[in-house]
Amino acid sequence: MEDKKIDSTLSSESYWQDTVSLPTFPSLQHDIETDIGIVGGGITGITTAYMLAKEGLQVVLLEAGSLLNGTTGHTTAKVTAQHGLIYDELIRRFDASAAADYFTFNSLAMDWIKQMIKEKQIACDFSEEDAYLFTNSDEGFDLLINEKNAYKQIGIDHDFVEELPIGIPVKAALRMKRQYQFHPLKFLNSLLEEMLTLGVKIFEHTTATAVRHSENPAIQTKDGYQVFCSKVVEASHFPFTDARGGFSSRMYPERSYVAAVRTQKTYPGGMYASVDLPSRSIRYAPSQEGELWLIGGESHKTGKGGNTEKHYQALIDYSQDHFDMEEVRYRWSSQDLTTLDKLPYIGPISDKQSNIIVATGFRKWGMTLAAGAAHLIADTIMERPNLFAELFAPNRFHAKSHVKAYTKYNTDSAKELIKGKLEGTTIDVEEIPPLHASIIRAHGQRTGVYRDQEGSVHMIDTTCTHMGCEVNWNQAEQTWDCPCHGSRFSALGEVIEGPAKIPLKQKGNE
Ligand code: FES
């Protein structure tokens, strides 16, 4: 069989983005007053805006780029409470009651999504699928047994099986029945349409840079305008008022990859995720041209994946080895944040600033966690009790679960900061081909050199404008990625993803 190579000219637009036409919105060009200001136009921001508008509140939503162009547009869109190996870990870190609450929170979010789709007859390729965690290693087998015991302890309906419908060889698999998958952008586009009729005002290409804090906060934008409101919701992935919550030292970013392929096989149903490394995630999407198999995985810390093209190639090799792949139709990647204790942060950013609410740290499971977060945020704003508020409170600190993880993560970040400063080669700039970049030392300084399609060379200071770590080149996405807190910049240094708000410094072009 001929070995298929990744086509490096494929764009990084996902299947979801390619098959939905989203409305566009102007940038904010005046001051505005509202009840609630939301920052972030992904699933969390949109779902929260929808719920608050249904409560009768005035909502303004700001998005720094285009709606649904971040992690939500690049997800695998599994709607499930099976979030990898998590329940055994939650029992160990916290207790069985916390693990059970996490399951209930996600199950209620799934119910809500299903109910919305049914009630509003949203055509979003929704289907019920069993979800499987699988392993092919001895170590993974032990982890899966622990996870199975955790399911049993907290009452999750499950099966432990030795074969998968999809036919790949496994030592064992843990099945959680009756989970879901959908087309996330078709679902959210329907919420968007209804939100607009409810009067939500949306502004794209509007970067929020700060919140002027007082009893009535004001969101300040890069263009110099303000959103005056009574509550701010930060649904911007990394909270943009980072310093107040210390999130830089409490979350780490990871990237993962998806290849959407056509195969010679018929998809047998089910959603799959391996517990072994490198990770693998499998589901299908019923596209107009037949089934697409979505093969995901290859997670790594942001900025530390080496040549990122190799991750796509690994997924293609896997598809070819196991599923008789015929063609790669799409490829995309996304970035997720994980908190030190694996639970998201949802709620007021601090005790003193109860009118600034954050939702972040969804650890690749943003479909259900975002829907749950929107409910929790709506309850917080409407001053209704919510059973899960304490579990996800951003100001929680559990000595047992935090101290070790906190120390390790911050030692890693500090190492990254120092190590990055010393790196850089003396490569001849002439050797850099178009659409590639290298890091060199120029006048003793670490410098990023990018050659564009026309052959012009662009040089940037590789010092991240967030907190000074050194960015690395991501060849597959053509971005500069920061390994410390996940900021991402275009090849020319513009901010694509925060927490950084300021572009990388240009060092002169030729
Ligand atoms: Fe924090 Fe780069 S994202 S230093």
Side-chain angles (χ1 to χ4, degrees):
M1 194 193 302
E2 187 202 347
D3 275 354
K4 297 268 195 316
K5 294 280 175 236
I6 182 74
D7 173 0
S8 56
T9 62
L10 270 180
S11 84
S12 52
E13 184 177 64
S14 71
Y15 165 68
W16 318 124
Q17 294 174 303
D18 190 35
T19 47
V20 169
S21 179
L22 293 168
T24 57
F25 299 90
S27 62
L28 181 66
Q29 293 298 323
H30 51 85
D31 291 349
I32 191 167
E33 231 176 290
T34 186
D35 294 326
I36 311 294
I38 296 179
V39 179
I43 184 171
T44 310
I46 289 175
T47 314
T48 304
Y50 171 83
M51 301 207 71
L52 294 173
K54 293 289 274 184
E55 299 278 1
L57 295 174
Q58 286 183 343
V59 180
V60 167
L61 188 149
L62 308 181
E63 161 57 47
S66 306
L67 291 184
L68 298 168
N69 192 31
T71 301
T72 307
H74 296 88
T75 171
T76 53
K78 294 176 176 173
V79 182
T80 176
Q82 188 178 61
H83 294 180
L85 295 170
I86 185 67
Y87 293 101
D88 176 57
E89 185 166 347
L90 292 180
I91 291 172
R92 286 170 200 266
R93 279 181 188 270
F94 302 98
D95 53 34
S97 158
D101 284 351
Y102 184 84
F103 177 71
T104 307
F105 181 81
N106 284 288
S107 302
L108 290 172
M110 288 169 60
D111 290 348
W112 178 78
I113 290 172
K114 183 179 179 182
Q115 187 63 22
M116 289 285 290
I117 291 168
K118 195 170 157 204
E119 251 176 50
K120 297 179 186 306
Q121 300 186 340
I122 304 172
C124 60
D125 304 330
F126 179 79
S127 67
E128 188 174 290
E129 309 282 341
D130 290 347
Y132 296 84
L133 278 180
F134 67 89
T135 182
N136 215 353
S137 70
D138 292 338
E139 195 192 354
F141 186 86
D142 293 342
L143 294 171
L144 218 49
I145 292 280
N146 292 342
E147 190 72 358
K148 167 186 153 358
N149 291 338
Y151 280 24
K152 195 168 168 208
Q153 189 177 351
I154 59 182
I156 300 175
D157 188 15
H158 68 280
D159 287 322
F160 201 67
V161 297
E162 291 176 357
E163 283 180 6
L164 290 179
I166 204 161
I168 46 182
V170 295
K171 270 196 191 323
L174 181 59
R175 173 166 60 177
M176 193 184 277
K177 293 181 195 163
R178 293 178 296 281
Q179 307 298 291
Y180 312 131
Q181 62 176 25
F182 68 172
H183 187 310
L185 269 51
K186 287 183 180 171
F187 174 75
L188 290 164
N189 200 20
S190 169
L191 294 198
L192 270 173
E193 280 169 17
E194 194 175 343
M195 274 161 58
L196 295 176
T197 66
L198 292 167
V200 174
K201 294 193 172 60
I202 299 175
F203 299 95
E204 292 180 307
H205 310 290
T206 302
T207 305
T209 53
V211 172
R212 198 198 63 214
H213 184 62
S214 73
E215 199 172 323
N216 289 311
I219 303 169
Q220 301 180 334
T221 74
K222 196 166 136 200
D223 292 342
Y225 301 105
Q226 303 201 65
V227 179
F228 299 100
C229 51
S230 60
K231 298 262 192 308
V232 176
V233 178
E234 296 192 19
S236 52
H237 216 200
F238 210 108
F240 71 99
T241 52
D242 170 28
R244 290 183 173 142
F247 293 102
S248 299
S249 57
R250 298 200 285 151
M251 292 195 291
Y252 59 89
E254 282 193 329
R255 296 201 70 73
S256 53
Y257 301 79
V258 178
V261 305
R262 286 169 52 77
T263 79
Q264 292 172 19
K265 296 191 168 180
T266 302
Y267 196 86
M271 304 186 295
Y272 307 87
S274 67
V275 303
D276 304 322
L277 291 175
S279 57
R280 293 287 178 261
S281 156
I282 308 163
R283 63 160 281 191
Y284 78 100
S287 82
Q288 276 189 341
E289 53 184 77
E291 285 171 351
L292 279 177
W293 293 44
L294 309 189
I295 314 296
E298 293 284 310
S299 304
H300 62 78
K301 286 238 176 96
T302 299
K304 298 184 88 173
N307 179 354
T308 39
E309 291 283 351
K310 77 178 184 220
H311 298 293
Y312 286 120
Q313 189 61 52
L315 296 178
I316 287 163
D317 293 346
Y318 183 81
S319 308
Q320 201 163 16
D321 291 348
H322 292 91
F323 310 124
D324 298 338
M325 186 195 84
E326 282 182 324
E327 184 192 8
V328 185
R329 295 291 294 118
Y330 298 87
R331 64 164 194 178
W332 63 86
S333 72
S334 70
Q335 181 156 303
D336 290 274
L337 294 164
T338 298
T339 68
L340 296 183
D341 61 13
K342 305 277 175 76
L343 290 177
Y345 297 128
I346 309 166
I349 198 164
S350 71
D351 292 338
K352 285 192 188 142
Q353 295 165 336
S354 58
N355 51 10
I356 301 177
I357 294 164
V358 298
T360 186
F362 294 162
R363 208 183 124 255
K364 302 190 178 78
W365 301 103
M367 298 297 104
T368 45
L369 286 168
H375 284 77
L376 175 44
I377 293 169
D379 284 345
T380 305
I381 287 175
M382 301 308 289
E383 299 183 358
R384 291 187 296 250
N386 184 300
L387 274 179
F388 307 102
E390 201 180 323
L391 184 66
F392 297 115
N395 62 358
R396 66 180 178 269
F397 186 86
H398 300 275
K400 185 173 148 192
S401 64
H402 269 83
V403 174
K404 212 164 134 202
Y406 181 90
T407 308
K408 175 170 184 336
Y409 173 58
N410 286 294
T411 306
D412 286 351
S413 280
K415 272 192 204 149
E416 206 56 54
L417 187 69
I418 296 162
K419 184 175 122 226
K421 303 282 175 209
L422 303 174
E423 285 174 351
T425 66
T426 51
I427 177 180
D428 184 347
V429 169
E430 294 306 317
E431 290 171 13
I432 300 172
L435 300 179
H436 284 68
S438 246
I439 290 167
I440 62 165
R441 290 205 84 75
H443 306 297
Q445 283 185 326
R446 194 177 187 270
T447 302
V449 184
Y450 169 71
R451 187 181 293 282
D452 65 24
Q453 190 133 30
E454 281 72 46
S456 299
V457 166
H458 305 264
M459 296 203 288
I460 47 109
D461 182 340
T462 55
T463 308
C464 178
T465 54
H466 176 228
M467 289 172 72
C469 289
E470 294 295 323
V471 298
N472 291 318
W473 177 244
N474 177 340
Q475 178 61 34
E477 311 304 324
Q478 300 274 298
T479 54
W480 297 101
D481 296 352
C482 180
C484 284
H485 315 108
S487 289
R488 299 179 63 232
F489 303 85
S490 72
L492 304 186
E494 291 298 321
V495 177
I496 295 176
E497 188 161 353
K501 300 180 192 113
I502 301 169
L504 296 174
K505 204 160 128 206
Q506 301 274 339
K507 291 186 104 175
N509 301 332
E510 11 172 289

